[in-house]
Each structure stands twice: as structure tokens, then as C-alpha cells.
Amino acid sequence: MARLEDEFRNILISHTNPIEADSLIDPTSLHFTTPEDEEDHDQQQQQQQQQDTAADSSSSSSFSSASKQRHLNDGDSSEADGCANLFRFNSGDGASSVNSSYRSTSSIREIDLIPSEAVYDLRSIAERMISSGYLRECIQVYGSVRKSAVDASFRRLGIEKLSIGDVQRLEWEQLEAKIRRWIRAAKVCVRTLFASEKKLCEQIFDGVGTAIDDACFMETVKGPAIQLFNFAEAISISRRSPEKLFKILDLHDALMDLIPDIDVVFDSKSSESIRIQAAEILSRLAEAARGILSEFENAVLREPSKVPVPGGTIHPLTRYVMNYISLISDYKQTLNELIVSKPSTGSRYSGDPSTPDMDFTELEGKTPLAIHLIWIIVILQFNLDGKSKHYKDASLSHLFIMNNVHYIVQKVRGSPELRQMIGDEYLKRLTGKFRQAATSYQRATWVRVLYCLRDEGLHVSGGFSSGVSRSALRERFKSFNAMFEEVHRTQAVWLIPDSQLREELRISISEKLIPAYRSFLGRFRSHIESGRHPENYIKYSVEDLEDAVLDFFEGTPVSQHLRRRSQ
């Protein structure tokens, strides 16, 4: 028996070769999954992030990572405030598209680990050892040799021996690359490595005794399988934060895709614990995704920054949230399956001043994810309305709302997936809100300016031409000049980032201002020019005002004095 045991071991060892490279190819992506390939990719990605960091070196330090800004701040790294401390998002990386779905049609790919003639010899030895009462020794020898082979394959796949605690202590940036590697490696492990080990056990031990092939299979792969799934388990129970959502969804989809194959490979009673562990991890990943989405909604609602962004431009919170939900929409298939309830923070006419009211009956027929995304936009607007009150100038407050709601509309329109879920009806409501904000801005700014160009108060009793009060007229011109100069000086440094919106608002201002000024100037120019120093009162031509309006909303300081075409 001792000689047979040694021979059994020697045959196993002599025919245990490293798994072929082409067996480590992920059939769903046609990528090699060896650590060397992953390291090359990671180095390239790290170099790209370093370049992005250098390009964004002028960013505020309150943003934690330039690479995160690159994905979720539309390349606008100059804007930052306290909200970045709450919203440290990452949309993913070049190796895993946010559109990726791991629900592939690939199936198990068994390979021959040992030549058939060696399998015949091993089976013959196993039959003799087991029939002589040496079952335990046979299983131990087989398990120790084959487990070493599985461990070697794990090393080639880049699967590290990390405990759950080890995984949870890693920085999220490190984990992102490991998650990407794990997803690829897990497919190869389940569909090729474990499946082939099971096939080998069946070739050698099937029919030799009761469930001996299962015992040998579990002796070989139970430890490695637990090691493999412990990583996903550690991610599923780790601290939740918004930037983890997309990788957790990637993990969930990958594991969901593997569950049928896990059930096939680990189909025996002795391997039930592996099936249960995988199913429980899948459930926890789903719960983690739901929890992150709920916590994200609350974080958007409670984001506390109170310092107004200069010039009423788009708030960093708006950029982050809208880019974040654009990425969420790419996972609509998975999230619609995971989300089963309405947003927990929403209510119909709650009366709570710290929470917006929303009638969810208006959203009947929409998918669960669509309802959540609309709710996020509602609470984002609610937060922005509060932030607008921190501006001392009412006109700037309206401009701020206009900019931010317009950005929301543009992001929805720019994403077919998001637009389909949000729907044209709600999009019309958003469009109406930013147009109303534009109207409110014009009223707050220009009503008082145009009020200077009215006829009332300029006439005294007597004939019309001789009944104009020259002193009142002079004061009226002086008031108009002073007001317009102040508006020009102030609002030139305000910013409307969208060029089309900026031009539309300028045209709207000109359509009201220029005709009114031209008419007023035509009626009363002669009264001023016939007196002393007319240039002190009629300072600007119609063309000067047209030129001045072009300075508005550029975010650039201008001279104290308007440019004049002629002196």
C-alpha cells in the first residue's frame, strides 16, 4: 500500500503541469487574465490618472482625486466646495464599461488536466487502495497534489490569499483593480478550473466507491473556492459609499451570471456550503447596492455646503449628482430587478420643511429605478433652491437656479437611457423651471433699469415740446447710466457656462433693452443736446449698449467704464 501510495503521488505530480495560457482566456471578453496582463493594464491606467492629475492641478484640494473629477465633473475641475467630501464618486475605469453586463451566454469549458493513459493508471491504483481500506490515504494524497495545482493556477490568475479583514483594510482605489481582476478570474475558476478538476475526479474515482469522487473534488477545491468567494463577500459587507456602487453592481452581475455554473459544478451534498455561500454573497451585494442608492439620496438631500459658487454657475453638487445618475441609468436592467420599493425619503405632502413634497401617484407606470432617479433630481433641486438663498442678489439667485436646472435638463437629454426613464413629461416640467428662473432673473434685473426709460414724470403743463422738464430728463439719463453701468460691471463676472443659453439670454435682454433705449433716446435727445454738456447725460449710443450686452455672463471682470464706439 505504501508503494502504491507513492506511485499514485508520483503519477499525479509528474502529470501536473501549469494550466495552459489559452485556458486562462475569459471567453466573454477574449482577454488574458494572467497577473502580468493585469499589471500592464493597471500601469497604463495609473499613468493616465497621473496625467489627469497634472492637468487638474489647479483644482481645489477638497476634491479627493483628479481621476474622480475626470469621470464625474465633466472636466470642470475648477469648481469645488464641501460637497466633494460627501460625494467621492468614481464612474469606473477603462477596463470595465459602465454598460457592461456579465450575463453572458458562455458555459462551462472543461479541459483535460491529465493524459488519458495516466488517468487509467491512477484509477487502477485508486481501486486497489480503496478496496484494501486505504480510502483516506488515497484522498489525502490526491487532494494535496491537486490542490497545489489549483493554487498555482490561482497565482497565475492573480488571486491573492486575502482574508475578509485584509480586503476591508485596502483603499478603495486598490480594490477597484482587484475587483476587475476577480471578475475575470472567477469566470475562469468556476467554468474551467473547478469544472475540469471535477471532471478529473470523476474520471479517476467515479464508480470506485460511494461519492468518493465528490470527496476528492471537495478535498481539492473547497479551500480555493472559499478563498475565491471570500473576496466578494468582503466587498459585500464593506462600508458603503457612493463610489462603490458601480463595482458592486459589476460584482453582482458577474456572480449572478456564474450562479447557474456554480450550481452545476458544486451540485453534490458535500459542496452545498459553496452554493449557499455564493447565493448569500449575491443577496448581500444586492442589499449593498440598494443601501448605497438610498444613502446617496439622503446625502444629496443633506449636502450642507452654504458658500455660494462664484457667478451663479453650475454647482459642483449638480455636476456630480447628474453624472452619477447618468452612470446609474446604464445599469437599469440590474437595478430595476434589485429595487422593489419607492424612495424611503419621499412622501406625499409630508409637510416637513427639510424634505421636498412629491406625489408618487404621478409616476405610476414608471420603473422602480426611474422613480428613484426622478426623486434624486427632485431632492437635488430642493437642495439647490436652499443654496440659492445664500446669494444676496436676487438676480444672481435666479441665474444660479437657471444654470443648474438647465444643466440637469441637458444631462437628461444627452443620455438616451436617462431620457427614456425620466420621460418627456417630467423633462418638460424641468425645462419650464429653468425658463421661469430666466424670466425671474430678467424681472429682478431689468424692470428697474427700464423703469428709467418711462415717460411718466418728465412732462410739465404746457405744450409737449416745451413741456419737458430738462432737469428731470437729465436725472433720468443719469439714473439709467448709473444703473446700466452697475449691471454691466456686476453681471459681466457672472457666468452662464452653456454658450447657447448665454446667447439666448443676451438676445432676450437686448430685445427689451435696445428698443426701449432707442425710443427714449429718439424722443428726448434734442432736449439734452440743446443744453449744456449733453455728453454728461447721453453717454452711450444704442450701439454701445448692444456691445455692452455681449460682455454679460462671461465670468470676466470688465472696466468700470463701458466701451464706447465714439467719444
Side-chain angles (χ1 to χ4, degrees):
M1 287 300 104
R3 180 179 175 183
L4 284 177
E5 181 179 329
D6 288 340
E7 185 67 16
F8 191 74
R9 179 184 292 105
N10 290 334
I11 294 175
L12 281 171
I13 293 173
S14 63
H15 291 286
T16 296
N17 298 313
I19 194 167
E20 295 296 331
D22 58 0
S23 298
L24 298 178
I25 296 177
D26 172 8
T28 65
S29 64
L30 298 181
H31 286 302
F32 281 97
T33 56
T34 61
E36 292 79 7
D37 298 312
E38 290 285 356
E39 287 173 4
D40 289 343
H41 177 275
D42 292 342
Q43 289 175 0
Q44 293 173 3
Q45 186 174 350
Q46 185 177 12
Q47 291 173 359
Q48 180 62 47
Q49 290 181 349
Q50 290 172 350
Q51 293 172 3
D52 294 331
T53 302
D56 290 339
S57 60
S58 61
S59 302
S60 170
S61 60
S62 59
F63 284 91
S64 61
S65 166
S67 64
K68 292 172 185 172
Q69 294 175 51
R70 175 168 57 89
H71 290 297
L72 285 154
N73 207 31
D74 285 352
D76 186 353
S77 61
S78 61
E79 299 171 346
D81 68 2
C83 73
N85 296 322
L86 282 180
F87 300 99
R88 300 175 58 207
F89 309 144
N90 195 334
S91 65
D93 49 55
S96 176
S97 168
V98 294
N99 290 312
S100 63
S101 173
Y102 292 102
R103 300 179 184 185
S104 67
T105 57
S106 300
S107 59
I108 291 170
R109 296 191 315 138
E110 296 173 341
I111 59 175
D112 293 320
L113 299 174
I114 292 179
S116 58
E117 60 273 13
V119 169
Y120 177 81
D121 293 339
L122 290 168
R123 183 177 177 86
S124 298
I125 295 173
E127 287 174 344
R128 286 166 174 76
M129 291 183 69
I130 293 169
S131 65
S132 300
Y134 282 79
L135 171 62
R136 183 174 60 84
E137 288 82 358
C138 185
I139 291 176
Q140 286 178 344
V141 170
Y142 181 87
S144 65
V145 175
R146 291 310 307 168
K147 184 178 181 300
S148 296
V150 173
D151 289 340
S153 296
F154 266 36
R155 288 191 294 272
R156 294 204 68 193
L157 289 166
I159 301 174
E160 304 172 67
K161 288 187 177 181
L162 297 173
S163 68
I164 291 177
D166 293 334
V167 174
Q168 293 184 334
R169 281 189 289 272
L170 291 172
E171 293 294 328
W172 180 247
E173 287 78 5
Q174 297 174 283
L175 281 176
E176 285 185 301
K178 293 184 184 298
I179 289 172
R180 180 179 64 250
R181 183 179 299 171
W182 185 93
I183 288 171
R184 292 175 176 173
K187 295 176 187 179
V188 176
C189 286
V190 173
R191 291 174 172 158
T192 300
L193 188 60
F194 294 160
S196 299
E197 288 292 343
K198 182 178 182 179
K199 175 185 175 182
L200 180 61
C201 288
E202 292 172 347
Q203 290 174 328
I204 297 174
F205 297 104
D206 187 33
V208 175
T210 304
I212 294 177
D213 55 335
D214 287 336
C216 287
F217 175 59
M218 289 306 292
E219 180 76 15
T220 301
V221 304
K222 184 175 182 179
I226 291 173
Q227 176 188 339
L228 177 72
F229 291 121
N230 273 351
F231 178 84
E233 182 173 0
I235 300 298
S236 72
I237 61 177
S238 64
R239 184 182 63 84
R240 297 173 183 173
S241 56
E243 79 272 10
K244 296 182 179 181
L245 176 62
F246 307 109
K247 285 301 181 185
I248 284 177
L249 290 173
D250 284 345
L251 269 178
H252 175 275
D253 283 354
L255 190 55
M256 173 70 81
D257 188 35
L258 284 173
I259 287 293
D261 298 318
I262 292 170
D263 290 342
V264 170
V265 174
F266 298 95
D267 60 347
S268 66
K269 181 66 176 177
S270 62
S271 59
E272 183 181 19
S273 61
I274 302 298
R275 299 197 306 273
I276 292 174
Q277 183 186 17
E280 289 178 346
I281 292 170
L282 185 68
S283 177
R284 281 194 291 268
L285 287 169
E287 181 58 34
R290 286 191 291 267
I292 288 174
L293 185 60
S294 178
E295 290 172 12
F296 175 73
E297 292 167 358
N298 281 303
V300 173
L301 180 63
R302 309 298 177 195
E303 196 281 312
S305 62
K306 295 182 179 179
V307 179
V309 291
T313 188
I314 300 164
H315 199 283
L317 175 65
T318 307
R319 293 186 183 276
Y320 271 71
V321 171
M322 290 309 300
N323 281 282
Y324 193 80
I325 69 173
S326 292
L327 298 176
I328 288 176
S329 69
D330 290 319
Y331 289 87
K332 66 176 183 178
Q333 180 181 354
T334 300
L335 286 170
N336 274 322
E337 295 172 0
L338 298 184
I339 299 172
V340 294
S341 62
K342 292 183 175 68
S344 59
T345 49
S347 62
R348 180 177 181 178
Y349 312 130
S350 65
D352 182 356
S354 65
T355 305
D357 292 324
M358 182 172 179
D359 187 356
F360 287 103
T361 61
E362 298 177 354
L363 304 178
E364 292 295 333
K366 290 194 176 294
T367 64
L369 178 59
I371 293 173
H372 275 266
L373 296 184
I374 290 174
W375 174 242
I376 290 172
I377 292 174
V378 168
I379 58 180
L380 172 60
Q381 291 181 81
F382 182 79
N383 193 317
L384 292 171
D385 286 339
K387 296 184 188 304
S388 70
K389 295 178 173 60
H390 297 300
Y391 288 101
K392 297 178 181 179
D393 190 322
S395 299
L396 185 54
S397 174
H398 296 308
L399 192 81
F400 171 77
I401 293 297
M402 180 197 71
N403 271 329
N404 283 268
V405 178
H406 178 267
Y407 181 83
I408 294 171
V409 169
Q410 293 302 101
K411 292 298 290 186
V412 173
R413 286 177 175 167
S415 168
E417 298 281 355
L418 192 55
R419 181 168 187 170
Q420 181 184 19
M421 285 188 287
I422 298 298
D424 288 339
E425 188 63 32
Y426 190 72
L427 192 58
K428 288 179 183 177
R429 191 181 305 179
L430 288 171
T431 302
K433 179 164 183 176
F434 88 73
R435 294 197 182 282
Q436 179 58 45
T439 301
S440 297
Y441 152 77
Q442 292 187 68
R443 288 174 180 167
T445 297
W446 296 103
V447 166
R448 59 191 180 90
V449 176
L450 295 175
Y451 192 68
C452 297
L453 304 179
R454 72 193 190 283
D455 287 358
E456 291 81 3
L458 296 179
H459 300 287
V460 294
S461 57
F464 180 81
S465 60
S466 61
V468 174
S469 171
R470 186 173 294 174
S471 61
L473 186 58
R474 287 173 175 173
E475 287 301 316
R476 193 67 63 80
F477 270 105
K478 287 173 65 177
S479 296
F480 172 82
N481 293 337
M483 285 189 182
F484 186 81
E485 288 167 359
E486 176 63 20
V487 170
H488 176 260
R489 182 186 62 80
T490 302
Q491 299 193 11
V493 297
W494 295 0
L495 181 61
I496 299 178
D498 185 87
S499 58
Q500 182 177 345
L501 180 63
R502 183 169 63 243
E503 186 61 25
E504 287 177 359
L505 190 56
R506 286 172 176 170
I507 290 172
S508 181
I509 292 169
S510 295
E511 287 175 346
K512 296 176 178 63
L513 173 67
I514 301 304
Y517 186 71
R518 181 183 286 114
S519 175
F520 189 80
L521 199 60
R523 294 196 304 274
F524 300 109
R525 177 194 293 270
S526 60
H527 296 282
I528 297 297
E529 290 181 340
S530 62
R532 298 175 61 188
H533 305 296
E535 69 279 0
N536 291 339
Y537 308 103
I538 304 178
K539 295 175 67 176
Y540 307 112
S541 66
V542 172
E543 292 75 15
D544 292 333
L545 296 192
E546 290 175 337
D547 292 342
V549 170
L550 298 178
D551 293 330
F552 282 30
F553 318 125
E554 289 286 349
T556 305
V558 295
S559 170
Q560 292 282 352
H561 303 288
L562 272 68
R563 296 188 305 273
R564 297 170 63 180
R565 293 191 183 182
S566 59
Q567 298 296 328

